[in-house]
Amino acid sequence: MPCTPSRALATNSATSDVGTADPVAYCRDLVRKRDYESYLIGSFYPRQFQGAFFALRAFYVELASVQDTVSNSIIGKMRMQFWRDAIKSIADGRPPRHPIALALHEASQKANLPAYHLRRIIDARVTQDAELHTPTHLTVESLTAHAESTASTFFYLLLSLLNLSSSETFSHAASHLGVAHSIQVLLRALPYHASKGRMVIPAEITARHGVRQEDVFRMGGSAEGISDAVFEFATLANDNLLTARAMFKQAGGGDGGKVPRIAMPVFLYGIPTRDYLGRLEGLNFDAFHPSLQLRDWKLPYRIWRGYYKGDF
């Protein structure tokens, strides 16, 4: 008598088991698949801190992707509550059996990673409607505050990882770099968000240039005023990037404004930011141009060169 195949609903238990067996490898692979620029940057951290870097970045990527991986904001808030509870449990030495949580716990054993920075990123993702409902910010001030609570705070964690958080120069530069990097990410994702009926450029800017959101959703880069709005938004990113770089020149030290080698891994994020803004300018600020969605094959070399030159 032929055997009847057993039936069962698929689960992610196998993936979970693999992840908990080697949490750092799970985090590294997640970053490689979903944040390739960070994957490249991770190799420039001291070997003893690379696992912690990938744990922190996987945590950041996981939170940032909640909006697109849940069906409604209630589930999103539940996911965020899980991470709030996880951070507390990690601090208590009882991390949940989740690969990223386990990797964060391991990282916290090697470096002082302030839990309030981790909580601040979570809270920024939850408390602002920009995350769990629609990513639209009304003002530049609102967006800048959100970038400070997310990307800049992530860079503060990286400074803590390298035991550099006491430097005022590093912290101020990281703050501005976080804003620049956040805007670059939003601009690069503008076509995707527009396809979902979401506008990522602050309403303050789009209104100034007569942009109608519905036109952008239908016509993309052909919508009236959108290239002017993109230009203003990109200029804000560039101004913050230049300010971050200027911090090292103002600090002096006779090194020509170069970033000290020990801190350079944190500021490598300025290289893909500058690279994207330069490509965008070359396309007359058409953020919808298909070439901007392709990886720049020169980026790995530029990151390598920036690391050894101490420049971003």
Side-chain angles (χ1 to χ4, degrees):
M1 186 173 181
C3 294
T4 301
S6 61
R7 298 179 179 179
L9 295 174
T11 70
N12 63 354
S13 59
T15 302
S16 178
D17 290 344
V18 172
T20 55
D22 193 343
V24 171
Y26 173 92
C27 292
R28 183 184 292 109
D29 192 53
L30 183 150
V31 173
R32 179 182 62 82
K33 292 176 179 176
R34 294 162 60 181
D35 187 358
Y36 184 66
E37 292 168 359
S38 292
Y39 179 72
L40 295 175
I41 289 170
S43 63
F44 291 93
Y45 276 76
R47 187 173 298 275
Q48 69 270 29
F49 294 130
Q50 287 184 13
F53 167 80
F54 285 115
L56 289 169
R57 194 60 188 177
F59 168 75
Y60 191 87
V61 170
E62 179 77 7
L63 295 184
S65 64
V66 166
Q67 181 190 48
D68 290 317
T69 56
V70 299
S71 57
N72 60 67
S73 63
I74 299 300
I75 297 176
K77 289 179 180 179
M78 290 171 63
R79 287 270 294 275
M80 293 301 186
Q81 186 60 48
F82 166 82
W83 283 110
R84 276 205 193 97
D85 295 340
I87 297 306
K88 184 178 186 304
S89 296
I90 289 170
D92 294 339
R94 299 179 290 102
R97 286 188 57 78
H98 184 290
I100 297 175
L102 292 171
L104 282 175
H105 180 255
E106 184 177 331
S108 70
Q109 305 303 300
K110 297 180 179 179
N112 177 29
L113 301 177
Y116 61 82
H117 283 331
L118 297 168
R119 289 194 299 269
R120 186 184 187 190
I121 296 173
I122 296 170
D123 290 344
R125 300 291 188 190
V126 173
T127 59
Q128 299 201 25
D129 286 346
E131 287 298 320
L132 295 177
H133 297 282
T134 170
T136 301
H137 286 268
L138 293 178
T139 66
V140 169
E141 182 180 6
S142 169
L143 181 137
T144 301
H146 186 255
E148 170 71 24
S149 297
T150 52
S152 298
T153 299
F154 174 73
F155 294 150
Y156 300 154
L157 279 165
L158 296 184
L159 289 174
S160 294
L161 174 64
L162 298 177
N163 198 28
L164 300 174
S165 58
S166 62
S167 168
E168 188 172 324
T169 296
F170 294 162
S171 295
H172 283 178
S175 174
H176 287 283
L177 179 58
V179 175
H181 182 68
S182 289
I183 294 174
Q184 175 262 144
V185 169
L186 289 173
L187 282 171
R188 188 163 57 179
L190 176 58
Y192 170 77
H193 286 296
S195 72
K196 302 292 185 181
R198 303 190 295 244
M199 172 54 69
V200 296
I201 301 177
E204 174 186 346
I205 294 177
T206 56
R208 190 152 41 235
H209 298 284
V211 176
R212 298 183 67 239
Q213 292 191 10
E214 296 77 9
D215 290 346
V216 178
F217 302 156
R218 287 190 301 106
M219 303 164 60
S222 300
E224 182 178 353
I226 187 61
S227 62
D228 292 331
V230 167
F231 169 72
E232 182 175 342
F233 203 29
T235 298
L236 179 62
N238 193 58
D239 287 348
N240 276 277
L241 183 61
L242 291 175
T243 301
R245 297 175 68 188
M247 290 289 178
F248 294 97
K249 295 179 182 179
Q250 294 171 7
D255 55 4
K258 292 183 178 180
V259 181
R261 178 68 57 81
I262 191 173
M264 194 59 212
V266 178
F267 295 97
L268 287 176
Y269 278 97
I271 295 175
T273 300
R274 185 174 63 177
D275 178 73
Y276 174 83
L277 293 174
R279 293 165 65 198
L280 181 63
E281 181 181 19
L283 294 167
N284 200 26
F285 299 95
D286 178 8
F288 289 82
H289 197 284
S291 67
L292 290 173
Q293 302 306 314
L294 303 176
R295 288 179 183 171
D296 182 358
W297 63 270
K298 295 181 181 179
L299 185 59
Y301 168 71
R302 287 174 175 160
I303 291 174
W304 175 86
R305 183 182 63 182
Y307 176 77
Y308 286 103
K309 290 183 66 176
D311 182 37
F312 63 95

